[in-house]
Structures are given as C-alpha cells and as structure tokens.
Amino acid sequence: MTAQATYEFKAEIKQLLDILVHSLYTEREIFLRELISNASDALDKLRIVSASQAEAAGDDETPLEIRIEADKDKKTLTISDNGIGMTEAELVENIGTIAHSGSASFLKALKESGPNGQTADGIIGRFGVGFYSVYMVAQSVKITTKSHRQDAMPVEWISDGQGAYTIRELTPGNGADEGQPVARGTTIEITLKDEHAAEFTEQDDLRQIIRKHSNFIGFPILVGGDRANTVPALWREPKFQITKEQYKEFYSFLTYDHEEPLDTLHLSVDAPVQFNALCFIPKKSKDFMGFDREDWGLDLYVRRVLIQRQNKDLIPQHLMFVRGVVDTEDLPLNISRETLQDNLLIRKINTTLAKQVLAHLGKMAEDKDRYAEFWREHSRVFKAGYMDFVNREAFAGLLRFNASSCETADELVSFDEYISRAKPDQKKIYFAFGPSREALKLNPHLEIFRKKGVEVLYLFEPIDEFVMDALRKHKDFDLTPAELARPEDLAALPDVDADSAAETPAEPAKDALEALFARIKAVLGDGVTEVRASARLTGSPCCLVNPDGHTTSSMDKIMRHMSHDTSVPKKVLELNPKHELIRNLASLNQADANDPFVEQAARQLFESALLLEGYLTDPHALVGRIQDLLAKSSGWYAKAK
C-alpha cells in the first residue's frame, strides 16, 4: 500500500456509530472494559502462538501485561499491550471495517424490530463492534500496532469516528524512529472529549473501574505503573492449591463481609454446560424482615470479564443466600456484554448449580451442629424451594423442624430421623402448626399423639404449611396434619402409660350424651355444623374439627387472609365424653333440659375453642362469662370450705 491512505466510512456505518455512541451502552465506563478485554485477548493469542511458533515472540522476553496511562493536561488516555499485535490487513479487517459480519444487516434488524420489537441490546450481539464504544468518550483515537511477525511493519490507524479513518505504515522518518522502534503489541491513545477528561484521567477512578469490570483478567493491568487487578480469579485455580485464607480474602472482596463464610463450594463443571463457579454460604442472612430481597444473584463472568453483577437467572431464588461467581466461555453475548442472547445455557447452569448446591448442603448436614447454624440463618429463604419439583427429594431431605420429641425449641429433626423413630406399621409423618412449642403443647388435637407416644413435627412459620402441602409425601410416608389425623389410625397403638389408661373414668350413658349434644347444637345453631363425641381428646373438654377433613386451621386462616375473608368458618365441635366437665353437663342436662348453666357452659366451650384456633375476634362475651362463672364458683367454693 502507499505510505498513507484515508478511507470514508459508508453511510450505514456512520449511522451504526451514532447508535453505538448515543444509544447502546448504559454506562460509558464500559468502553474501558472492552479495550482491556481486547488487550487481554491479544496477550492470550500471543501466548498460544508462542507455544507453537518459534518466531512468535522473537527475542522479546518482556512480561505480558496491559498498561494504562492518563495525562490530565493533554486529556489523553492510553491503553497498551505487548500482545500479538496486528498487521495492516488485520487492522483493516478488525478495526477499519466496522462489524464486518454485517453492519447493514444490523441496521435492517434494528429497523424491523419496530417499537414493540427487540432493542439494540437484544440484537447487536451478532456484530463484532465492541471497540467502537470508545467513541462515547473519545474526540479522536490513534492505534499504533506491530504484529508479532518478525518482518511486520508497524501500522497507525487514526479516526475521530465521524466520517473517515486514516491508515499508514510507520517507517523510519515517517512516524517510527530508528533509535526507538515500535515494539510488538498495540497501543490505543484516546483524546478524550472535554466533558469526560476529568472522569477518565483520574488514576483512582480508573482503578475502581478496572476492579469492577476487569479485576480477574489473567494478565497484570498497570495503572500509572501500579497493578490494579490484585485479586486472582480463584475459580480458575485447582482447589487443592487454594488456602482457606485465600478463600476468605476472595469472599471479603466479593461481599464486603469481614466474617469468614460458613461454607465454600468450588466447582468445575464440564457437562451439560462448561463453567467454573466459586460460591459461598454466608454465616448471616441478609433477608431481614424481607429487606434486601433484590440484593442477590451470582456475578457472571465470561473468560474472567464481568458481564453482569448479581445475575438472578444463574441460581434459583430459594438458594438466593448463596454468593459467588460463575465463569463460562460458552455464552454468546451482546455487544455491550450486558444482555445474554441465549438463555438456554443460563438455564442449564441454573439447573446444574442447583443440584450441586443441594448436594453440598447434604454433606454439610452430616454435621448436625454446623447444619443447624445454616438452618437458623437461611431456612426461611430455603423453604421457598417447595416448588422445585426437579430436586424434590434432595430438598425434602434437607428440611428440618422442631418436634414433640425435642427438649428445646432449638433442636431440629429431619424427615428421615422422624421415620427412624416411627411406630411399627406407621406410614404417616404427622405435623402441627403453632406460634410456639408452648402453644402446641396446649393444642387439644395433639393429646392423642402424646397418649400414644407418636412424634409430631412442629411448624412455626406459615410457609411450612405450603411446604408440607406441596411435598405430600416423603419416601413411603404421607405428610399428615395432626388435626386431620383419623383417630382410628392411632387407636390400635398401645398407650404410653397403660396404668393411666386403666384409670380413665367411664363415659355418661349414650342417651344422656346424645341429649347434651343436641342441646349444645341448638344453643350454638349455625355456629357449628355438628356436635359429636371425640376419640382424639384425653385432657381437654372440646376441640373444633374441619368438617371437610382436608384443610388445617392454619392453612384456612392463611387462605382467608389472602382473600380478605374475615368470617368465622363453621366447624364440627367435638366433646370429650370422659372429661369431668362434659360428664357434669350431661348430668345437669339430663336432670333439667332447660338448665341455663348448660347453655352458658356451651357458649363458653365453643368460644374457648375458637380462641385456641385463632378465630375469636371479639373476646368481650367470653371474658364476661368467665367472670360470672368465677363469681358463682367462688361462692360455692367458700360454702364448701
């Protein structure tokens, strides 16, 4: 070619440049990431070529690195590398022809997308024009490059990104001095626009941008002679070479958490998609009262370059407590590297990573104390995975609950531990919901379980009901609410205390009970669907039972709250015929079918049961009745003494 040639950009290329500069990128600092990535690619290419071609690097043994220099006075920013460099033909192909894969096609696709179609971010990924993001901040750009080939001449490319570009060979006396020949590699000198000069000539600002986007580039990035990317990409290193202190340092860099992580998961996966991941489980949950619900996701890298921070598609939401990075070389990207074109690969990473995290938690669970520490902090988020049907078995195996067999509220029981203590021929895992252990100990529905020595899992959070309802089974055991358990399923089991069973008082006569039930039903009217004898009660006089036999009281309240239904559901009132109060009421009713005390007692029993179930909205009548009964009973008691 001649010593110098000037070329005009085509009309569609001018239009493309205008889109790149004014419409495509959301952050102007992205240009620096693009140029550093290109420099890193050039260094990688040189390293590969050097391994196979003796002529590749010549006699130059300079360490491979990227240098960034800023000059505030001249308003220039220079990025240089001593990588593979470019010949004149390569420079024309890679830089001089914008989007040689089809700039016209790009503009056509952008036009056809229409107002309701794809944005530029969605379709530009098919065109290799990342370098031109520099014109968001550049008034003009000069590229000086020399190929690794020993006979290659250095070349200069200059353009203001407006209408033309100039290319020339640098020969002695024409830009190249014989005393200081152009070195192998590429130097990009940017003359900044006035409004961006201050932002991109401050070394501290440049270091911050590099740490944000390019911190894990495998080559040193020097800003003013000092290395800016100081934390290594540990996920690319063999696990056996990494110390606990290095993991801790990386975790702190990633999360700004000064505590050690509770656990670390370092993965290198080859199939069904290739990726590396370094994930951590923090000691403390960030999900405090529902705050920071959007502050989650894994950082996505492609070949050590940050593509998206906190990508929420890489891991299921119920594993949102996991912090870390994923790095893959298989993803097609858009030009700004901010939008992924093909979500299929992301979904594969999500599926694979979920299985790996669950398997890791399974190993952690072998240490009960350590797993309990995890459960206390992260269980509320984790339990939201009840809809993960693909990993249903693994998820269920990791669930933990307090139980009637525990001595304190801090103890935890798994489904498998429950099954190991189940009674012979028992094929159900029973559970009950309540605000606390103390409340559940007073739950009349659990009396028969204590009598038979059958363990009951305690559920303290509303989400637990949805977990049980979604799972339905674990292995061969049905997950069954205690309040919906059929008494006949438990009746055949021996009592824990056979002596106390022998001392149980006899029931009233059948006709006396039936008359009492009819009287109470008449008093309560439509408040209950039925009054009947209970086979589940041993210490309480009464309880309420859902007539459909399928919905628990707690789930019913949740559904009513969601639908803003404040009505009181109609239930079955079950009475304990062996309880002293019921026996006395039967005798009083038999002696006088209109005795007012029976009516008073019936309302008191019903409202007490509503109170225990959480349905009593107005306690005034209940309190007044209690005070009246206390006044009368205190008189009887005084006379008796």
Side-chain angles (χ1 to χ4, degrees):
M1 66 170 285
T2 59
Q4 178 171 316
T6 299
Y7 302 89
E8 289 287 330
F9 287 134
K10 293 181 180 179
E12 67 268 17
I13 294 179
K14 292 181 183 179
Q15 186 179 354
L16 178 59
L17 269 174
D18 184 70
I19 293 172
L20 290 173
V21 172
H22 297 106
S23 305
L24 181 61
Y25 288 89
T26 57
E27 298 179 53
R28 296 192 182 279
E29 66 189 36
I30 293 297
F31 85 91
L32 187 57
R33 181 189 69 182
E34 297 294 327
L35 298 184
I36 290 174
S37 297
N38 290 343
S40 176
D41 289 344
L43 294 171
D44 266 326
K45 290 175 183 176
L46 178 69
R47 188 160 54 183
I48 293 170
V49 170
S50 298
S52 58
Q53 299 179 17
E55 65 163 357
D59 298 328
D60 189 356
E61 296 182 359
T62 305
L64 300 182
E65 59 191 16
I66 302 167
R67 288 186 169 271
I68 298 176
E69 301 288 343
D71 190 319
K72 293 182 182 180
D73 296 331
K74 294 182 179 180
K75 299 179 182 178
T76 60
L77 179 67
T78 304
I79 298 98
S80 60
D81 68 77
N82 53 349
I84 198 167
M86 289 178 280
T87 62
E88 179 186 333
E90 290 168 340
L91 185 61
V92 171
E93 180 182 12
N94 295 329
I95 303 296
T97 305
I98 305 176
H100 60 265
S101 58
S103 57
S105 299
F106 163 75
L107 292 171
K108 181 180 178 182
L110 183 61
K111 182 178 180 180
E112 291 177 351
S113 67
N116 299 318
Q118 304 178 74
T119 63
D121 283 14
I123 62 177
I124 202 169
R126 288 166 279 175
F127 309 95
V129 293
F131 163 78
Y132 279 87
S133 62
V134 71
Y135 284 105
M136 292 188 295
V137 300
Q139 181 175 316
S140 64
V141 178
K142 180 173 73 173
I143 302 175
T144 305
T145 183
K146 182 180 181 182
S147 172
H148 68 286
R149 304 177 190 278
Q150 293 182 353
D151 59 348
M153 293 292 293
V155 186
E156 180 183 82
W157 182 99
I158 299 176
S159 176
D160 60 5
Q162 297 297 317
Y165 60 91
T166 299
I167 297 180
R168 65 169 179 163
E169 286 185 351
L170 297 180
T171 57
N174 184 30
D177 184 72
E178 291 182 345
Q180 294 182 335
V182 176
R184 182 202 68 230
T186 300
T187 298
I188 301 175
E189 182 179 319
I190 305 165
T191 301
L192 295 162
K193 297 176 182 177
D194 290 342
E195 63 267 31
H196 301 302
E199 182 180 0
F200 297 110
T201 54
E202 288 289 343
Q203 292 191 2
D204 288 343
D205 292 343
L206 293 171
R207 290 190 185 96
Q208 185 176 358
I209 294 170
I210 291 167
R211 291 189 183 111
K212 178 180 178 181
H213 296 287
S214 307
N215 191 77
F216 302 110
I217 291 291
F219 301 98
I221 304 173
L222 306 179
V223 178
D226 296 325
R227 183 165 181 170
N229 56 332
T230 56
V231 179
L234 288 187
W235 64 83
R236 292 268 186 162
E237 304 297 327
K239 287 186 283 187
F240 65 87
Q241 293 182 0
I242 303 174
T243 65
K244 184 177 180 181
E245 289 72 23
Q246 286 177 299
Y247 279 134
K248 166 64 171 64
E249 180 186 6
F250 185 89
Y251 172 73
S252 298
F253 169 83
L254 183 71
T255 65
Y256 303 103
D257 184 354
H258 297 296
E259 285 195 72
E260 289 187 5
L262 179 63
D263 213 340
T264 302
L265 178 60
H266 192 165
L267 297 173
S268 181
V269 178
D270 293 324
V273 59
Q274 186 176 25
F275 68 92
N276 294 297
L278 181 53
C279 300
F280 302 93
I281 300 175
K283 283 187 175 180
K284 299 295 182 183
S285 172
K286 296 187 68 175
D287 181 47
F288 177 71
M289 299 295 289
F291 297 116
D292 290 329
R293 277 296 174 95
E294 294 304 311
D295 186 15
W296 66 280
L298 302 179
D299 293 349
L300 176 63
Y301 287 78
V302 172
R303 295 178 289 278
R304 294 186 174 93
V305 177
L306 178 65
I307 303 305
Q308 186 177 12
R309 194 172 297 281
Q310 292 187 323
N311 183 300
K312 294 177 174 56
D313 296 323
L314 288 170
I315 196 164
Q317 190 167 3
H318 64 280
L319 301 179
M320 64 188 293
F321 51 83
V322 175
R323 307 295 299 275
V325 302
V326 171
D327 189 349
T328 179
E329 300 189 12
D330 294 340
L331 290 174
L333 307 170
N334 79 333
I335 180 59
S336 64
R337 305 192 183 198
E338 292 171 319
T339 303
L340 301 175
Q341 283 187 329
D342 188 352
N343 285 328
L344 177 61
L345 291 172
I346 292 290
R347 289 196 295 270
K348 287 182 178 180
I349 292 176
N350 179 299
T351 301
T352 304
L353 201 54
K355 290 182 181 297
Q356 293 283 352
V357 171
L358 293 175
H360 189 77
L361 289 175
K363 294 179 181 177
M364 185 196 295
E366 296 173 4
D367 184 335
K368 295 190 68 171
D369 293 337
R370 190 151 164 264
Y371 191 72
E373 186 178 355
F374 158 79
W375 192 256
R376 282 193 296 270
E377 289 296 325
H378 303 296
S379 62
R380 183 175 299 178
V381 169
F382 178 77
K383 283 186 281 192
Y386 62 85
M387 297 299 291
D388 184 1
F389 298 112
V390 174
N391 299 301
R392 180 191 187 111
E393 186 174 346
F395 172 78
L398 292 168
L399 292 171
R400 297 293 184 270
F401 302 95
N402 195 235
S404 58
S405 62
C406 300
E407 295 184 2
T408 68
D410 294 330
E411 294 182 55
L412 297 172
V413 172
S414 68
F415 286 147
D416 288 340
E417 287 175 312
Y418 181 103
I419 291 172
S420 70
R421 296 190 289 265
K423 299 290 184 180
D425 300 325
Q426 179 185 340
K427 287 300 179 183
K428 296 180 186 295
I429 296 176
Y430 295 102
F431 63 88
F433 178 84
S436 64
R437 281 179 61 85
E438 291 70 25
L440 286 167
K441 287 179 180 178
L442 298 175
N443 188 329
H445 292 281
L446 302 189
E447 292 176 357
I448 190 172
F449 293 91
R450 287 190 286 271
K451 178 181 178 182
K452 300 296 182 179
V454 175
E455 186 173 10
V456 178
L457 298 178
Y458 288 167
L459 280 54
F460 298 136
E461 297 177 354
I463 193 174
D464 295 339
E465 286 266 20
F466 292 96
V467 171
M468 296 300 194
D469 189 60
L471 293 179
R472 303 279 177 161
K473 290 179 69 73
H474 180 67
K475 297 182 177 178
D476 296 329
F477 283 67
D478 295 324
L479 302 178
T480 305
E483 70 175 276
L484 301 182
R486 299 192 309 168
E488 54 267 31
D489 291 341
L490 300 168
L493 298 175
D495 293 346
V496 174
D497 189 347
D499 294 336
S500 64
E503 298 172 1
T504 302
E507 297 180 5
K510 183 178 180 181
D511 58 341
L513 273 179
E514 290 178 350
L516 176 64
F517 295 164
R519 174 81 186 281
I520 293 176
K521 178 66 173 77
V523 169
L524 300 179
D526 292 338
V528 295
T529 60
E530 181 186 357
V531 179
R532 68 189 182 200
S534 176
R536 74 184 77 236
L537 299 173
T538 60
S540 300
C542 67
C543 69
L544 291 171
V545 178
N546 199 320
D548 66 12
H550 298 293
T551 307
T552 64
S553 299
S554 51
M555 180 61 79
D556 178 73
K557 285 197 285 288
I558 291 172
M559 302 309 294
R560 287 175 180 273
H561 178 75
M562 292 173 63
S563 61
H564 305 287
D565 183 357
T566 58
S567 64
V568 178
K570 294 178 174 58
K571 296 195 175 191
V572 176
L573 178 64
E574 287 193 353
L575 301 176
N576 180 3
K578 297 179 181 180
H579 193 278
E580 183 178 9
L581 176 56
I582 304 303
R583 290 188 288 111
N584 290 339
L585 289 176
S587 298
L588 287 171
N589 186 65
Q590 193 173 32
D592 181 359
N594 296 312
D595 192 319
F597 182 80
V598 175
E599 178 178 345
Q600 190 179 32
R603 296 190 185 282
Q604 188 68 26
L605 286 170
F606 176 59
E607 291 188 8
S608 297
L610 285 176
L611 182 64
L612 285 176
E613 295 276 334
Y615 289 114
L616 188 65
T617 57
D618 186 359
H620 291 87
L622 174 71
V623 173
R625 202 178 299 112
I626 290 175
Q627 292 172 346
D628 182 55
L629 289 172
L630 284 173
K632 292 177 181 178
S633 62
S634 63
W636 299 331
Y637 182 73
K639 289 179 182 179
K641 290 199 69 173

